[in-house]
């Protein structure tokens, strides 16, 4: 599919990242969102990242210009008409994704592969809304997309071998390492990480060690770049709570039951770095242990 055209639906955090890696891989990209400001915002974000790469000497200005020239803004889904692939990254809402894919199903050629970057909605459920479930697939990128190497490729129950092959080739051309997962809640990474994180929370609640020492143990004992509490704060405790709730609903297994202290922090509005407090306190500008709560 070299030189071919890919539409990215949704120019938010993930969509813009996917558009960037696709353009850097040489694909022609249509970056679609509901309004011009939303698309422009996505493109401005890409430009900012590429500018930084050029400033740091990691990228040539000519490569940056070439990548940006491949990204064409769009506010009309009709622009997907001649695309070989569409990758959707809009809000995590089934009805919204279903509506978009049903429109794309009418607009696109029957050969076009439709992919979703959903984190939690079953691929088979969205695929059932289109007339081409064999050409429907999950492409689960990780944030930030230009930095994180993995892309999980998720097969719905009817996804064809050919769709898996083509999608894997595209993701790899975008510089990603790919793995293939069945369509199960959390796929591979979020499932394992949710159980791992819950165990860290249990250790803290049982008084096995402090939050700081659990993070230290995992960083230096397992070579993780961040401990489970730091990472949870970085991603957002609301996101972590939603992931745990989805997995618990899917598996009905206590390994995934949303942790009670995590729930209390969510109720209190302490969602991690973005609100200044989560498992740690960031209000001084540095990461510090919390002194205002009893864990
Ligand atoms: P985001 O809020 O940054 O972006 C969502 C974008 O969708 C916005 O730009 C919004 O304008 C756009 N949008 C909303 N309605 C639309 C419509 N009708 N048509 C076109 N665009 C529309 O969200 P995000 O973090 O980029 O997440 C997008 C998807 O990626 C979600 O399904 C999420 O579960 C998944 N995901 C997110 C992460 C992450 O870490 N943020 C990781 C993996 C997967």
């Amino acid at each position: 599919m070299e030189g071919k055209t890919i539409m990215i639906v949704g120019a938010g955090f993930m969509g813009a990242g996917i558009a960037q890696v696709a353009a850097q891989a040489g694909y022609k990209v249509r970056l679609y969102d509901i309004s011009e400001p939303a698309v422009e915002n996505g493109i401005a974000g890409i430009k900012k990242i590429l500018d930084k790469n050029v400033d740091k000497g990691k990228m040539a200005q000519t490569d940056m210009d070439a990548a940006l020239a491949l990204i064409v803004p769009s506010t009309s889904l009709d622009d997907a008409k001649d695309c070989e692939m569409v990758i959707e990254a809009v809000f995590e809402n089934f009805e919204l994704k279903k509506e978009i894919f049903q429109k794309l199903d009418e607009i696109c050629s029957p050969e076009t592969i439709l992919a979703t970057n959903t984190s939690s909605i079953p691929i088979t459920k969205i695929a059932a809304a289109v007339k081409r479930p064999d050409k429907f697939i999950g492409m689960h990128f990780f944030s930030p997309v230009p930095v994180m190497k993995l892309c999980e490729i998720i097969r719905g129950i009817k996804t064809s071998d050919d769709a898996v092959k083509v999608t894997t080739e595209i993701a790899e051309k975008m510089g990603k390492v790919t793995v293939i997962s069945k369509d199960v809640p959390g796929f591979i990474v979020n499932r394992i990480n949710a159980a791992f994180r819950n165990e860290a929370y249990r250790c803290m609640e049982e008084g096995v060690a402090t939050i700081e020492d659990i993070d230290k143990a995992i960083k230096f004992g397992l070579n993780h770049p961040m401990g489970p509490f730091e990472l949870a704060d970085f991603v957002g405790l609301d996101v972590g709570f939603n992931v745990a709730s989805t997995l618990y609903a899917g598996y009905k297994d206590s390994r995934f039951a949303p942790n009670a202290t995590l729930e209390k922090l969510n109720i209190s509005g302490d969602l991690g770095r973005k609100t200044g407090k989560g498992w740690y306190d960031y209000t001084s500008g540095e990461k510090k242990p919390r002194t205002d709560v009893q864990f």
Side-chain angles (χ1 to χ4, degrees):
M1 295 226 334
E2 196 158 357
K4 301 286 172 61
T5 310
I6 301 178
M7 174 177 267
I8 313 294
V9 178
F13 183 51
M14 297 301 286
I18 300 166
Q20 180 188 323
V21 295
Q24 284 184 262
Y27 290 115
K28 288 182 231 156
V29 175
R30 307 255 161 84
L31 183 56
Y32 167 89
D33 209 301
I34 27 175
S35 66
E36 273 175 28
V39 185
E40 291 310 326
N41 196 32
I43 293 177
I46 296 170
K47 196 170 173 303
K48 203 168 152 192
I49 294 170
L50 295 180
D51 265 333
K52 262 194 201 158
N53 288 346
V54 171
D55 286 348
K56 286 184 191 161
K58 288 186 190 165
M59 190 181 201
Q61 182 70 46
T62 47
D63 290 341
M64 168 174 164
D65 295 343
L68 285 175
L70 286 170
I71 304 175
V72 175
S74 165
T75 51
S76 168
L77 274 187
D78 287 336
D79 291 334
K81 207 180 304 179
D82 58 347
C83 291
E84 280 76 14
M85 177 157 216
V86 179
I87 305 173
E88 167 277 317
V90 302
F91 299 142
E92 187 73 342
N93 176 301
F94 172 66
E95 289 304 328
L96 175 63
K97 290 184 194 279
K98 178 178 162 186
E99 186 192 324
I100 288 171
F101 279 117
Q102 285 181 332
K103 284 186 189 156
L104 288 167
D105 206 18
E106 298 302 319
I107 294 165
C108 297
S109 112
E111 300 312 313
T112 304
I113 294 175
L114 302 178
T116 176
N117 183 45
T118 182
S119 307
S120 64
I121 304 168
I123 303 308
T124 306
K125 185 172 171 183
I126 312 176
V130 297
K131 295 180 201 129
R132 61 181 88 196
D134 57 319
K135 295 197 178 61
F136 195 92
I137 198 160
M139 261 182 124
H140 188 226
F141 291 88
F142 289 76
S143 74
V145 179
V147 176
M148 298 300 284
K149 290 293 282 181
L150 186 66
C151 177
E152 290 176 322
I153 310 274
I154 301 106
R155 300 186 77 120
I157 197 163
K158 294 186 178 172
T159 308
S160 69
D161 288 344
D162 188 56
V164 171
K165 183 171 170 278
V166 173
T167 305
T168 301
E169 280 167 12
I170 292 171
E172 287 176 356
K173 191 161 149 54
M174 289 179 186
K176 300 300 163 199
V177 171
T178 59
V179 289
I180 296 173
S181 170
K182 281 191 182 165
D183 187 17
V184 296
F187 313 133
I188 303 171
V189 172
N190 285 349
R191 172 177 170 165
I192 293 174
N193 192 42
F196 176 81
R197 201 178 277 177
N198 259 359
E199 202 54 39
Y201 296 162
R202 281 193 200 110
C203 281
M204 179 270 297
E205 286 174 345
E206 288 171 17
V208 172
T210 60
I211 288 176
E212 298 75 46
D213 275 359
I214 296 170
D215 273 351
K216 234 193 218 176
I218 298 304
K219 269 167 80 169
F220 295 100
L222 291 180
N223 237 359
H224 288 199
M226 280 190 239
F229 292 92
E230 278 181 290
L231 181 59
D233 275 352
F234 182 75
V235 173
L237 300 195
D238 49 341
V239 176
F241 187 75
N242 288 339
V243 170
S245 304
T246 305
L247 290 178
Y248 189 51
Y251 293 108
K252 303 189 177 51
D253 182 322
S254 61
R255 281 178 299 167
F256 303 109
N259 175 268
T261 313
L262 174 68
E263 185 171 13
K264 283 182 201 153
L265 288 173
N266 265 270
I267 293 167
S268 309
D270 293 354
L271 305 180
R273 279 187 177 271
K274 63 185 166 191
T275 59
K277 287 180 182 178
W279 294 110
Y280 291 95
D281 187 335
Y282 304 90
T283 49
S284 66
E286 278 173 52
K287 186 186 78 175
K288 295 214 166 122
R290 287 192 70 165
T291 52
D292 60 333
V293 289
Q294 300 291 321
F295 282 131

